[in-house]
Amino acid sequence: MNSPVLSGGDPALLRRLNTEAVLGVLRNAEPMTLTRIGQAASLSRQTVDAVIAELTEGGWIEEVAPERSIGRPARRYRFRAEAGHVLGLDIGVTGVRLVLADLDGSVIASDRTRIPEGLGGGARLEAVRSGAEGFLARHPGIRPRSLCLGIPGIIDSGGTVRLSTPLPEWNGLDLVGAASTWFDCPAHAENDANLAALAEHWRGAARHADDFIHVIAGHRTGVGMMLGGRLHRGRGGAAGEIGALALLGWEGPSMNDIREAEDSARLFSDAQAGDSDAAGKVDRFARTVAQGVAAMVLTVNPDLVVIGGGLSRAGEAVVGPIRSHLEQLCLDPPQVDASALGVEAVALGAARMALDHLNDALFGAHVGAAAPSAGPQSRRGVTA
Amino acid sequence: MNSPVLSGGDPALLRRLNTEAVLGVLRNAEPMTLTRIGQAASLSRQTVDAVIAELTEGGWIEEVAPERSIGRPARRYRFRAEAGHVLGLDIGVTGVRLVLADLDGSVIASDRTRIPEGLGGGARLEAVRSGAEGFLARHPGIRPRSLCLGIPGIIDSGGTVRLSTPLPEWNGLDLVGAASTWFDCPAHAENDANLAALAEHWRGAARHADDFIHVIAGHRTGVGMMLGGRLHRGRGGAAGEIGALALLGWEGPSMNDIREAEDSARLFSDAQAGDSDAAGKVDRFARTVAQGVAAMVLTVNPDLVVIGGGLSRAGEAVVGPIRSHLEQLCLDPPQVDASALGVEAVALGAARMALDHLNDALFGAHVGAAAPSAGPQSRRGVTA
DNA sequence: GTCACTTACGTAACGGTATCGCATAACTGT
DNA sequence: ACAGTTATGCGATACCGTTACGTAAGTGAC
């Protein structure tokens, strides 16, 4: 654990590394000429040429029409995002949200299927599978290369559901094992709050933050966390379960006033309009949320707190009061923003995670067999 | 922030990578033969031979007497830990603790120098420098290649002291800039609680934990944290400042009963012996500490909590009550252990950090110019 | 339409790196 | 002294990346 021994590599490693570099330049960018790719990746045009030939052969990139300019027209290549697709699933109690994305992460299609209530574990699993199958059937010719399921609960590193309060019938289920057999592609699974955080980091409110906490405020209260640009789960995936500290009141009446209101949006607008009863409830709610968030903020000192979940639809009406209370509780209060992705966050995050695994499987250079070297613990030095 | 573009490499990168691999095998291990090094690093004997020749040339390794066995005796090489040294300094209010270590991290010498009270910022800095100079003078022929200072306070990423309550005269001081001129070697600086955590992870109570929280309980209460095997500082280095949440009572009377006792060790032994007044104080103290720790534990869900600082000298007498209270407050309580390194933890951690930076400067392979690729966010998948 | 200019392409040569195969060296044990 | 064992050292081969240079394919001016 202290000293990861990295193993050496042969010349082929270099090519893998450089392939990854070229691909990294080309994806999420305009079509480019060999020369410009070489400049961006610090490689000679020759090397880029060789890598490009391999990638074209494999169908990952393709040539596009050259731009007209002075001199001999340079070949241009673009990343073929359509060369592969991934499926992200957000599994809720009453339905499943599906997102089909290409290799760029662009959403090709999304949908929501309902799941009947009262289904047993096996029947529910089958309902999810057949719903996904129907969804995919509407997009002929597209087979996912990787999929990821987001569920409300704790999943262990083997892909088995350890504890899901909303879906107790799945406790102990080998979800990844089951889903791996569905569409002849690798499957992955992750807690939904973590996936929402991943999505917000990818293309949501946390695009510019590498340390942030994502609080889902809704019927359930869930927390996802990215630290150092990576999801932080903790031992057993229980990071962020601050609600367990009774002292902070996350399970008390001030939370339930809001969570159990049949029309919480109304409550927030009433409060803003001057209804003092509503305002009192909102303020107590915001204060309670802020207390729990403050404990987490003081612990990890993040750049940002994102408020998501159903209640975040109220926008500033809910975020504003939480922000005010948080500023009183923290020495160095972070930015507080509402979720930018709304209800699709979890499914998008699932697609992102499927994509990450796919990229790693397809193009991962794997320096040695070990983890990338951690390097020193800081950059706080200056050379004499 | 979302997509680190890594740049390509030439064949020389391969050699750097393999040099690092060979060195990684050789250091902190018995002297080895070329063949065995090759097996350990997944390299051919030929390649190892070439790398070994370079490293011997540079003085980093040397040949030792072969082992006698059947067959032609194989050359054996060992890492020359004595080829470089680092200096770790633990700067306190009343004195400085110094540790001189070699490239293996073995402590060559340690010492403590006193600093007169009431010194101004400049005079205090000069006292630290001259103390270190005197210490080094007793070890002729040894010049540090890197040094690190641990101080009680927040340091920014440029090496300037941002906020130190115990040493207010250093606020705003460019500590790294100043220390870089002392011994013609790069200097680094870090918060002392973080360094203590680093040391416990290296060769202390947290050797087998990659996610842990280190609580320093003493006159001050400080927290250092490692998550994912790396120090976690947070934006502005304020991670772990849970004491700021008044609700948790870290600044209240139950803490001061113990902190301000002239003989706290006595208090713990009295409590264990049955003195009900002492026992009450200890229990209130433990409960208060546990409340703050619980907030952090529920936030990051670590593998381990280490209790260090002056009060941890009481061992189980203080750790036991904290553990009991923590078990009542957390769903999934982590292991709780006393510090294994005691008062030398900070200086040792400083030496470790100096060493990390030195290793990176000397042997860092630096795949491309960019950060190592993060890879997917989990390994929770199974291939279909 | 021709010519100069510009930029990219494609081949060839070169150096660095790693690997495999094989003859040789060096030591142990009988 | 000799067989057995293991490491060493040399040579050949293959892969990769870079530089150099002649050639191709456009644009723009006249």
Side-chain angles (χ1 to χ4, degrees):
Chain A
M1 194 154 289
N2 248 330
S3 49
V5 172
L6 27 142
S7 57
D10 31 9
L13 173 64
L14 221 39
R15 174 54 64 96
R16 288 213 304 281
L17 239 23
N18 288 339
T19 302
E20 205 180 6
V22 167
L23 219 37
V25 169
L26 218 43
R27 67 192 313 172
N28 302 321
E30 297 300 296
M32 275 206 263
T33 68
L34 298 192
T35 310
R36 283 202 45 213
I37 296 171
Q39 288 164 353
S42 318
L43 289 171
S44 72
R45 208 196 57 85
Q46 277 307 338
T47 302
V48 175
D49 198 357
V51 170
I52 287 286
E54 283 178 11
L55 287 172
T56 308
E57 178 73 18
W60 302 110
I61 61 176
E62 73 179 359
E63 194 171 346
V64 300
E67 267 181 328
R68 33 190 310 115
S69 72
I70 240 175
R72 176 172 175 169
R75 294 180 317 210
R76 291 195 310 157
Y77 290 87
R78 72 171 195 94
F79 181 66
R80 291 190 63 234
E82 70 275 19
H85 296 85
V86 296
L87 181 63
L89 299 96
D90 170 12
I91 301 182
V93 177
T94 60
V96 176
R97 199 171 285 277
L98 302 118
V99 160
L100 186 62
D102 66 16
L103 291 182
D104 270 348
S106 303
V107 174
I108 305 298
S110 66
D111 194 14
R112 186 180 148 84
T113 67
R114 296 201 61 79
I115 292 200
E117 297 201 42
L119 249 46
R124 174 178 288 274
L125 191 61
E126 173 53 24
V128 172
R129 191 203 63 75
S130 68
E133 190 173 55
F135 175 65
L136 288 173
R138 294 200 292 281
H139 303 279
I142 292 183
R143 301 267 76 184
R145 289 172 178 264
S146 172
L147 68 85
C148 178
L149 303 109
I151 74 158
I154 296 176
I155 317 235
D156 70 19
S157 55
T160 296
V161 178
R162 277 290 156 236
L163 177 66
S164 172
T165 314
L167 303 176
E169 64 274 18
W170 275 8
N171 286 339
L173 173 69
D174 177 9
L175 190 54
V176 163
S180 293
T181 67
W182 289 354
F183 306 117
D184 191 33
C185 75
H188 313 274
E190 180 59 70
N191 170 269
D192 55 1
N194 284 339
L195 292 180
L198 192 58
E200 294 287 347
H201 182 246
W202 177 32
R203 47 172 59 167
R207 270 195 304 279
H208 305 296
D210 267 358
D211 284 7
F212 73 96
I213 293 173
H214 185 229
V215 179
I216 297 182
H219 297 294
R220 292 182 306 120
T221 308
V223 173
M225 204 179 295
M226 292 192 85
L227 299 176
R230 307 175 59 89
L231 279 181
H232 178 78
R233 300 183 182 82
R235 176 177 62 105
E241 295 293 334
I242 194 75
L245 201 61
L247 185 66
L248 296 170
W250 271 27
E251 302 305 327
S254 49
M255 296 291 265
N256 293 334
D257 278 353
I258 303 284
R259 287 205 282 227
E260 291 168 7
E262 63 272 19
D263 185 0
S264 56
R266 175 78 179 279
L267 206 56
F268 287 114
S269 58
D270 284 357
Q272 285 199 313
D275 175 336
S276 65
D277 183 53
K281 283 183 178 169
V282 166
D283 187 68
R284 278 207 309 282
F285 169 77
R287 181 176 169 72
T288 308
V289 171
Q291 247 167 29
V293 173
M296 295 190 289
V297 162
L298 291 168
T299 301
V300 303
N301 189 222
D303 304 315
L304 173 70
V305 171
V306 177
I307 308 289
L311 296 180
S312 74
R313 278 195 292 265
E316 272 301 301
V318 60
V319 171
I322 293 176
R323 184 187 296 121
S324 315
H325 281 292
L326 200 58
E327 278 167 6
Q328 287 166 17
L329 291 167
C330 299
L331 302 167
D332 179 23
Q335 196 174 331
V336 181
D337 287 333
S339 157
L341 300 174
V343 292
E344 279 220 322
V346 176
L348 269 177
R352 178 69 257 177
M353 181 165 283
L355 214 40
D356 284 341
H357 279 102
L358 181 59
N359 283 334
D360 194 54
L362 292 176
F363 310 115
H366 296 301
V367 177
S373 117
Q377 294 297 321
S378 84
R379 295 270 174 258
R380 296 190 174 184
V382 158
T383 304
Chain B
M1 196 154 289
N2 248 331
S3 50
V5 172
L6 29 140
S7 57
D10 33 8
L13 173 65
L14 216 44
R15 175 53 65 95
R16 288 214 303 282
L17 239 23
N18 288 341
T19 301
E20 206 180 5
V22 167
L23 220 37
V25 169
L26 218 43
R27 68 191 313 170
N28 303 320
E30 297 300 295
M32 276 206 263
T33 68
L34 297 192
T35 309
R36 283 202 46 210
I37 295 171
Q39 288 165 351
S42 318
L43 288 170
S44 73
R45 209 196 59 86
Q46 282 301 346
T47 303
V48 175
D49 199 357
V51 170
I52 286 287
E54 282 179 10
L55 286 172
T56 307
E57 179 72 18
W60 302 111
I61 62 174
E62 73 178 2
E63 194 171 348
V64 299
E67 267 183 329
R68 31 189 313 117
S69 72
I70 235 171
R72 175 171 175 168
R75 294 181 315 208
R76 290 194 310 157
Y77 290 86
R78 71 172 196 93
F79 180 66
R80 291 190 65 234
E82 69 275 21
H85 296 85
V86 296
L87 182 62
L89 299 94
D90 170 12
I91 300 183
V93 178
T94 59
V96 176
R97 200 171 286 276
L98 301 117
V99 160
L100 186 63
D102 65 19
L103 292 182
D104 270 348
S106 304
V107 174
I108 304 297
S110 66
D111 194 15
R112 187 179 148 84
T113 67
R114 297 199 62 77
I115 291 199
E117 296 201 43
L119 250 44
R124 175 178 287 275
L125 192 61
E126 173 53 25
V128 172
R129 191 203 62 76
S130 69
E133 190 173 55
F135 175 64
L136 289 173
R138 293 201 291 283
H139 302 279
I142 293 183
R143 302 268 77 185
R145 288 171 178 264
S146 172
L147 68 86
C148 178
L149 303 109
I151 73 157
I154 296 175
I155 316 233
D156 69 18
S157 56
T160 296
V161 179
R162 277 292 155 236
L163 177 65
S164 172
T165 313
L167 302 176
E169 65 274 19
W170 275 8
N171 286 338
L173 173 69
D174 177 9
L175 190 55
V176 163
S180 294
T181 67
W182 289 355
F183 307 118
D184 191 33
C185 75
H188 313 275
E190 181 58 69
N191 170 269
D192 54 1
N194 285 339
L195 292 180
L198 192 58
E200 294 287 347
H201 182 248
W202 177 31
R203 48 172 60 168
R207 270 194 304 277
H208 306 296
D210 267 358
D211 286 5
F212 73 96
I213 293 173
H214 186 230
V215 179
I216 297 182
H219 296 294
R220 293 181 305 121
T221 308
V223 172
M225 204 180 294
M226 291 192 85
L227 299 176
R230 307 176 57 90
L231 278 181
H232 178 78
R233 299 182 183 81
R235 174 178 63 104
E241 295 293 333
I242 194 74
L245 201 60
L247 186 68
L248 296 171
W250 271 27
E251 302 306 326
S254 49
M255 295 292 263
N256 292 334
D257 277 354
I258 302 286
R259 287 207 281 229
E260 291 167 6
E262 62 273 17
D263 185 1
S264 56
R266 175 76 180 280
L267 207 56
F268 288 112
S269 59
D270 283 358
Q272 284 199 311
D275 175 337
S276 65
D277 182 54
K281 284 183 177 171
V282 166
D283 187 68
R284 279 206 311 281
F285 169 76
R287 181 174 170 76
T288 308
V289 170
Q291 247 168 29
V293 172
M296 297 190 288
V297 163
L298 290 168
T299 301
V300 303
N301 190 222
D303 304 313
L304 173 70
V305 172
V306 177
I307 309 288
L311 295 180
S312 74
R313 277 195 293 264
E316 271 302 300
V318 59
V319 172
I322 294 175
R323 184 187 296 123
S324 314
H325 282 291
L326 200 58
E327 278 167 7
Q328 286 166 20
L329 292 166
C330 298
L331 302 167
D332 180 23
Q335 195 175 332
V336 182
D337 287 333
S339 156
L341 300 174
V343 290
E344 277 219 325
V346 176
L348 269 177
R352 178 70 258 176
M353 178 163 286
L355 215 40
D356 283 342
H357 278 102
L358 180 59
N359 283 335
D360 195 53
L362 292 176
F363 310 115
H366 296 300
V367 177
S373 116
Q377 294 297 321
S378 82
R379 296 270 174 260
R380 295 191 176 187
V382 159
T383 306

